[in-house]
Amino acid sequence: MSDEIMTYSSGGEEILSGSCLSDDHEPEILSLRPMFISDYIGQGEVVETLKIAIEAAKQRGEPIDHVLFHGPPGLGKTTLAHIIANETGSNLTVTSGPALEKGGDLIGILTHLEEGDILFIDEIHRTPKTVEEFLYPAMEDFAIDFVFDKGVNARSHRYRLKRFVLVGATTRVGLLSAPLRERFGIFRTLDFYSEKELMVIVRRSASLLKIEIGEEAAYELSRRSRGTPRIVNRLLKRVRDYAQVRGDGVINKKTVKEALALEGVDEKGLTTLDCRYLKTVIEFYKGGPVGIEAIAATLQEEADTLVDVVEPFLLKIGFIVRTSSGRKASEEAYRHLGYSIE
Ligand code: ADE
């Protein structure tokens, strides 16, 4: 196995750790993450679905159905997996599609799961096909089928697994095969957060980090965080540093504005990459329509990064539209970047 696997006990502490940590698993991000569903802000319908599923399963004394979360990065898919484990008092094992290189990597994890344990597979759409095939009987029948020999000598042996819960997360549900998608009993899409919800999140985070932040500063940060809790929490820390070193330690609207300018975050929360993307469509491709591969080649960025990280928010605020012949920049995008529209 090339990448990380982590197992957490239901108390939340890590009990087995692999190599490098992705930004989602950094200790400070973990500490800002709500541990229980009652502390979770936003995603009302998703939270209600989970509350019902957890309560119903508890009453029946069974594990909950497999859960698939879909949505752009930073909206809380990993957080919700931790919450499900905490609420059901189960252990959580965290891995990702690309980390599962061979069938044996997955089998090793599955055979160590206890009844009701949660297995979280991030970026599940990037699981290799050969590994994915082990997931079907594991999810449906809680079994792994081993095949020995080939042709007329082929024999199969079924290994029973404990009833575990698979929580999958994906930024691209369209890339998930139908057989895998259909094996999840609960499928929910996470949407961007409102400014109001982000304000509650950033004030909660500020209080956990023992930072003082006023209403105006919290609003300024929230409205420039692209509807994303991970971004508002990251920017809060940059503003804290800035206020401490360049200001008098107080976080106000002025320090937020100065710190965000330094971070390359504009009035609407767009980053340098967002603006480069829009300028490429507008200047290089005359506003579109243009294919994603052409934009990626011009920007010298991965097309996947643009689709997963850049485009969802630009689509959400109507700065780009996706048509059958490619991406087009909207009039709002032209105006925001200071281009005149004839
Ligand atoms: N921190 C990050 N995401 C959060 C959320 N949805 N609710 C509360 N705190 C958070």
Side-chain angles (χ1 to χ4, degrees):
M1 191 156 323
S2 66
D3 220 325
E4 80 215 47
I5 308 180
M6 282 184 279
T7 301
Y8 301 84
S9 71
S10 55
E13 80 268 30
E14 184 189 324
I15 57 175
L16 185 147
S17 169
S19 51
C20 58
L21 298 177
S22 73
D23 59 353
D24 236 14
H25 303 126
E26 278 176 30
E28 210 168 41
I29 297 281
L30 276 178
S31 68
L32 292 181
R33 190 177 269 167
M35 299 250 294
F36 293 96
I37 211 151
S38 53
D39 296 324
Y40 196 93
I41 293 144
Q43 311 292 347
E45 289 185 356
V46 180
V47 165
E48 180 66 358
T49 301
L50 291 178
K51 277 185 181 165
I52 292 170
I54 292 168
E55 184 61 33
K58 257 188 202 158
Q59 285 174 10
R60 292 194 301 265
E62 293 171 359
I64 67 165
D65 266 350
H66 302 304
V67 186
L68 178 63
F69 292 124
H70 161 241
L75 297 190
K77 300 186 289 294
T78 308
T79 302
L80 287 172
H82 280 261
I83 286 177
I84 293 172
N86 291 335
E87 293 283 354
T88 55
S90 356
N91 298 314
L92 172 71
T93 298
V94 176
T95 186
S96 73
L100 299 168
E101 289 176 353
K102 300 186 291 307
D105 298 335
L106 178 66
I107 292 168
I109 297 173
L110 289 174
T111 51
H112 283 90
L113 296 176
E114 295 299 327
E115 183 84 13
D117 276 4
I118 313 289
L119 170 60
F120 177 62
I121 307 185
D122 203 4
E123 296 187 80
I124 194 166
H125 61 279
R126 292 179 60 196
T127 308
K129 195 81 209 150
T130 49
V131 178
E132 188 178 312
E133 275 161 13
F134 283 102
L135 270 179
Y136 304 156
M139 291 173 77
E140 204 155 275
D141 305 326
F142 301 101
I144 305 171
D145 293 316
F146 293 98
V147 180
F148 302 99
D149 281 348
K150 284 189 182 142
V152 288
N153 293 320
R155 286 163 296 130
S156 146
H157 175 73
R158 188 154 253 226
Y159 180 93
R160 293 263 156 226
L161 298 169
K162 304 267 171 55
R163 271 199 73 163
F164 69 100
V165 178
L166 179 63
V167 179
T170 180
T171 48
R172 297 267 206 106
V173 77
L175 295 186
L176 227 64
S177 72
L180 182 56
R181 208 177 49 234
E182 285 158 7
R183 282 173 170 80
F184 288 95
I186 300 170
F187 168 45
R188 301 297 321 213
T189 297
L190 304 192
D191 203 353
F192 289 105
Y193 292 66
S194 68
E195 286 166 2
K196 241 176 159 172
E197 288 164 344
L198 286 179
M199 272 182 83
V200 182
I201 291 173
V202 79
R203 300 188 93 167
R204 175 182 179 274
S205 301
S207 117
L208 289 172
L209 295 169
K210 305 201 170 20
I211 304 171
E212 265 186 54
I213 182 166
E215 179 93 5
E216 259 198 343
Y219 173 68
E220 192 64 18
L221 262 176
S222 302
R223 86 176 180 79
R224 296 219 240 159
S225 293
R226 286 186 281 147
T228 308
R230 187 189 294 162
I231 298 180
V232 89
N233 284 338
R234 187 182 75 78
L235 292 179
L236 173 66
K237 290 181 198 157
R238 296 294 65 76
V239 176
R240 169 178 63 173
D241 289 352
Y242 187 90
Q244 189 182 320
V245 176
R246 292 281 176 264
D248 52 7
V250 177
I251 297 183
N252 52 33
K253 191 170 168 182
K254 180 169 170 284
T255 46
V256 171
K257 277 181 170 290
E258 288 170 3
L260 295 198
L262 197 60
E263 283 293 302
V265 171
D266 81 3
E267 273 301 308
K268 258 200 166 325
L270 303 191
T271 62
T272 320
L273 181 58
D274 296 325
C275 294
R276 281 176 58 223
Y277 174 104
L278 290 172
K279 281 181 182 160
T280 300
V281 176
I282 291 171
E283 289 179 12
F284 213 84
Y285 294 103
K286 302 188 167 52
V290 52
I292 189 63
E293 294 297 338
I295 303 171
T298 308
L299 285 173
Q300 297 194 25
E301 295 284 346
E302 287 285 324
D304 277 356
T305 309
L306 300 180
V307 174
D308 288 346
V309 180
V310 174
E311 290 192 332
F313 187 69
L314 296 180
L315 284 163
K316 162 88 182 170
I317 59 171
F319 274 23
I320 55 165
V321 284
R322 277 172 75 164
T323 69
S324 54
S325 43
R327 279 73 170 161
K328 285 173 73 171
S330 70
E331 282 189 10
E332 287 78 32
Y334 276 78
R335 255 186 243 116
H336 178 70
L337 292 176
Y339 295 99
S340 62
I341 305 160
E342 295 95 51

